[in-house]
Each structure stands twice: as C-alpha cells, then as structure tokens.
Amino acid sequence: MAQAVGKVWTLSPTFRAEKSDTTRHLSEFYMLEAEIAFIDNLEQLMDTVETMLRTVVQGLQQKGLAREILLARSSAPVEGDEPFISTETLEQRWVKSAEGPWPRLTYSDAVQYLQTAATKAKIQFKFPPTFEAGLQAEHERYLAREIGAGSPVFITDYPTAQKPFYMAPSLDPSRSYDSSPTVSCFDLLVPDVCEVIGGSMREYRLENLLLSMRRQGIKLGKEYQRLLEPDNQDAYDSAPDSGNLDWYADLRRFGSVPHGGFGLGFDRLLCYLAGVPNIKDIAELRNEFNALFYADKRRIKYSSEPELRGVQQLSATSDLSLQWRLVLRPVGYGSSKMRL
C-alpha cells in the first residue's frame, strides 16, 4: 500500500507476548505505525519522526492543553510510593520536545559513552554496558538524561543480531563496532519513559531479504529455497512446501522500492507528556501479564490450571454495566481478545 500511495499509517491495538511487568509495559497497547516509500536513508525517516512529534507538541501548546496539564500536575497529590514528577520536570519535557534538533548518535557511540561514564565512576550500572548485550532501561534513561539534557534522543544503527530480519543494513560502515554488522534503524529515547518510537529502513531487495531470513533461522519454502540455491537439491527436498513467512517475501517478489517505517507507542507518549509515571494508569481497561482488569478496577489473577489455558474460570453476573473485557492467552504465548 505504501508503494501505491507513498505514505500510510494506522493507529490500532498491539499485543505483547513478553512477560514484561513494569511501569512501562502493557500486554495490550495502541501503536501508531507508519510506512513511507521512496526514501533513501535513515536520516529522512528520523526527520519525519522529529517533525511529526514537534508539530504535535507545539500544536498542543498553542491550544492551551500543555498549560492545563501543568496546572493539574501542580495540584496533584502524591500517592503512596509512586514516583512523583514535578511541575518543573514536566514543563521541561514540553519545552525540550518542542525545540530541535534532537541529538542523534550511533549505538556504538552510545555504548562507548556509557562505558566511559561507568569507568569514571559517574554512575554505577546494574548491567554493565556492552556492544553485544544491548541497552537496558537504566542505560536508556542515562543517555536520555545526559545526552539529551531533557530532550528526546535518537540512537541509531543497532547490531544486526539484535534486530528483526526485515531491517536493511547500515549504509555507512563506520557506524559498526569492531567490524560487527549493523542495521539502519533507530530508537527514540525520552527521559524516564525510555523508548517511545522504534523504526528502520526496510530491506526491499528480495535476495538480501531471503538471506537475512535464513541467517535468523526462518525456514523458507521450496520455491524461495530454490531461488537462493538453485543447485542444492538436498536443501530443496528438506524445505517445507511453504515457509511461515513466505507471504512476507512475496511482498518483494515482483519488485519493491526503498522505504522505511516506524512504530510509536501511543500510551507511552501520553505518559511522557502527561507526567504519569505508570503506564497502567493511562489505560482505562488495561491488560497485563497474568492479570485481568475490569471497568470497576477489580483485578483477577490468571489460573495455573493447564486445562483452563491460563485463564481463571469466571461465574456469570447480572451486573452488565461492568463491561467485562477478558484476555484469553495460552501460557507463554501471545494474546487474543474477546468481549463478554
């Protein structure tokens, strides 16, 4: 579709299969996904993202919404042990988000910056930063605070091994680390909330895409196996008739164009701009790992009984105003949804 009209987007529910139970994660959240065709490099994609968010923030400021949020924050009580975000901190978020340009640095430079900070005893990390291990939340918070000085920060060109098969390789070899291959991608980090957007250039060349899929252990169907290795009869015979992701390769089969895209965690963006420390307070009817939530805020745990497939059996109720919303998820797998 992006090749036909140039730019496409959707804002829709997304489900997580990970067991992340933090103040930044939900099992179901809204994701703004966009694809842009006929762009040649990552800089163009990041320019689009930065312009989009700055325009949104500036527009909300002009309409007075930012002032209303700041006034509400100044009179909000502190509840329990929940982290408190001051009015000054929240105001800085709005100011820095509206200003530009935002800092951009490679993953390699980010890791070296973190290692230098740890060596000089500026900060002590629970997880030592290394190129192979990836960035933890504590690393992302430090980068957003120190590099961005309160503004969003782009981290680009992550190692190929840490990213999905469909990302295109980095165009600039100097962005790699110790000759390790990297991909043309970015994460946008903001203070406290960490990553709010992830995006990349997509691999649009069929043969390169198939090679990337195979490197990551994705089985190809017979037709694509024969395309990659026309003389390897054994590989062809052992390949399935159709691979699980052959449909994705079909999108490149008859030609494609350079393109890129990104996904914005809408709930996290709301958390950041509203000064809400816990993303679970953003979603009215939220779904978490191992828990069900209803309109009356009751929390019902999942059952451990295998025959119930991870969901506690519920009795009927005459109170139809509860608008029960039930997440059905086999233990260890992704989520599906039904309404009762």
Side-chain angles (χ1 to χ4, degrees):
M1 187 179 293
Q3 293 184 60
V5 297
K7 299 178 181 179
V8 296
W9 63 273
T10 177
L11 178 61
S12 56
T14 302
F15 303 93
R16 295 178 60 90
E18 300 178 26
K19 298 182 179 180
S20 301
D21 188 16
T22 73
T23 58
R24 301 178 296 111
H25 292 93
L26 290 170
S27 293
E28 176 187 354
F29 60 97
Y30 271 82
M31 177 80 78
L32 173 65
E33 299 172 276
E35 288 290 326
I36 307 171
F38 308 105
I39 58 174
D40 300 318
N41 58 68
L42 192 65
E43 296 296 324
Q44 293 174 278
L45 186 61
M46 290 190 291
D47 288 343
T48 300
V49 169
E50 182 171 344
T51 300
M52 177 191 71
L53 285 184
R54 287 169 57 193
T55 301
V56 168
V57 172
Q58 291 169 0
L60 293 175
Q61 287 177 325
Q62 293 171 2
K63 293 180 179 180
L65 181 60
R67 182 175 57 84
E68 293 179 17
I69 291 177
L70 291 172
L71 288 175
R73 169 54 57 188
S74 64
S75 59
V78 181
E79 298 182 359
D81 297 330
E82 193 172 84
F84 179 73
I85 299 175
S86 66
T87 305
E88 292 74 18
T89 299
L90 186 57
E91 184 175 12
Q92 184 187 45
R93 288 183 180 182
W94 282 84
V95 171
K96 291 289 187 177
S97 297
E99 296 176 347
W102 298 340
R104 301 177 182 183
L105 72 160
T106 65
Y107 173 89
S108 175
D109 291 340
V111 171
Q112 292 180 30
Y113 184 88
L114 293 168
Q115 292 174 338
T116 300
T119 301
K120 294 182 178 180
K122 293 182 179 180
I123 187 173
Q124 183 176 1
F125 294 114
K126 180 179 179 181
F127 300 96
T130 64
F131 185 83
E132 298 78 14
L135 299 179
Q136 302 294 324
E138 60 177 343
H139 304 149
E140 293 179 342
R141 291 192 183 97
Y142 186 80
L143 291 170
R145 184 174 69 247
E146 299 299 322
I147 298 292
S151 75
V153 180
F154 286 102
I155 307 297
T156 69
D157 300 276
Y158 282 70
T160 302
Q162 296 181 20
K163 293 296 181 179
F165 68 90
Y166 55 77
M167 294 187 176
S170 300
L171 297 177
D172 186 357
S174 66
R175 298 191 171 194
S176 64
Y177 175 81
D178 195 24
S179 301
S180 298
T182 58
V183 288
S184 187
C185 68
F186 73 85
D187 282 349
L188 181 64
L189 311 180
V190 296
D192 300 321
V193 179
C194 300
E195 179 193 351
V196 292
I197 300 181
S200 74
M201 296 298 295
R202 316 306 195 193
E203 181 54 81
Y204 66 96
R205 298 160 295 185
L206 178 59
E207 185 174 353
N208 294 52
L209 178 66
L210 295 176
L211 289 171
S212 178
M213 294 170 72
R214 192 168 64 176
R215 279 196 301 268
Q216 297 206 21
I218 299 174
K219 287 186 175 297
L220 303 175
K222 290 184 180 297
E223 188 173 357
Y224 286 120
Q225 181 60 47
R226 175 60 58 85
L227 181 64
L228 275 183
E229 298 179 298
D231 299 326
N232 191 337
Q233 186 62 37
D234 291 338
Y236 176 83
D237 292 338
S238 62
D241 291 335
S242 178
N244 292 335
L245 288 174
D246 279 6
W247 64 268
Y248 189 88
D250 288 343
L251 299 174
R252 311 290 194 271
R253 184 174 181 178
F254 301 106
S256 184
V257 298
H259 62 284
F262 61 87
L264 180 152
F266 192 69
D267 302 84
R268 284 193 181 184
L269 179 63
L270 293 181
C271 272
Y272 182 67
L273 294 179
V276 176
N278 194 327
I279 195 171
K280 297 172 179 60
D281 294 328
I282 287 290
E284 180 183 1
L285 296 173
R286 64 185 184 268
N287 298 322
E288 302 173 15
F289 173 72
N290 271 357
L292 305 178
F293 284 85
Y294 299 92
D296 64 348
K297 305 302 183 184
R298 289 185 299 136
R299 191 174 194 269
I300 300 179
K301 285 285 189 178
Y302 278 93
S303 169
S304 60
E305 297 296 328
E307 62 271 16
L308 296 181
R309 297 179 64 79
V311 182
Q312 179 172 343
Q313 196 170 23
L314 304 175
S315 59
T317 177
S318 59
D319 189 356
L320 300 180
S321 64
L322 290 179
Q323 300 178 14
W324 279 10
R325 193 165 188 237
L326 174 62
V327 176
L328 297 177
R329 182 185 63 225
V331 175
Y333 291 86
S335 301
S336 60
K337 177 178 65 175
M338 68 176 293
R339 297 185 185 277
L340 298 181

